[in-house]
Amino acid sequence: QVQLVESGGGLVEAGGSLSLSCAASGVDFNIRKLGYYRQVTGKEREFVASITPGKTADIVLPMKGRLTISIDNAKNVVTLDIHALKTEDSAVYYCWGEIETPPKWSRKDYWGQGTSVIVSS
């Protein structure tokens, strides 16, 4: 079984920066993608960014230029850095992974527990 454990988040002033991290752990697995979604109460969960090990990242268009995502392949940790935060960035951010596990190495979605980000004006 694979677990995604998140860290970071909290209260930040508008215009500030924030870093979120997510570590994947388990006995035997292969990461296809790691990334983040976010959800505001009453709205659907929405894609923010993802990264494929060794390849380029996908970032939702409205956040391009304010966000960087990186992965430490040795530690299986993805980091999301958000700059110039806006109040509308306030949400619960969920780590997401598309991960293969034995015995069939089929792909499955995994989710972190979620971390709250509140941007104050």
Side-chain angles (χ1 to χ4, degrees):
Q1 193 59 275
V2 177
Q3 286 189 320
L4 300 179
V5 179
E6 303 180 46
S7 59
L11 178 64
V12 187
E13 288 187 357
S17 298
L18 189 72
S19 184
L20 304 176
S21 291
C22 173
S25 63
V27 176
D28 197 4
F29 60 94
N30 180 47
I31 294 172
R32 301 296 297 180
K33 289 184 180 181
L34 280 179
Y36 279 88
Y37 283 67
R38 68 184 185 184
Q39 187 170 24
V40 176
T41 302
K43 295 188 177 181
E44 291 188 359
R45 193 171 296 187
E46 62 179 11
F47 172 80
V48 175
S50 68
I51 186 167
T52 300
K55 297 186 179 180
T56 57
D58 291 319
I59 299 173
V60 66
L61 189 59
M63 297 191 75
K64 281 191 175 181
R66 296 197 297 121
L67 184 156
T68 56
I69 186 168
S70 59
I71 188 168
D72 183 330
N73 294 317
K75 297 181 180 179
N76 296 317
V77 174
V78 61
T79 299
L80 186 73
D81 294 308
I82 311 175
H83 310 285
L85 280 159
K86 305 176 182 180
T87 55
E88 52 263 42
D89 292 323
S90 297
V92 176
Y93 284 71
Y94 292 92
C95 179
W96 163 81
E98 184 181 80
I99 299 172
E100 298 171 337
T101 56
K104 295 184 177 180
W105 297 100
S106 54
R107 297 181 188 182
K108 181 181 174 182
D109 288 340
Y110 289 84
W111 294 93
Q113 76 277 14
T115 186
S116 179
V117 172
I118 300 172
V119 183
S120 63
S121 59

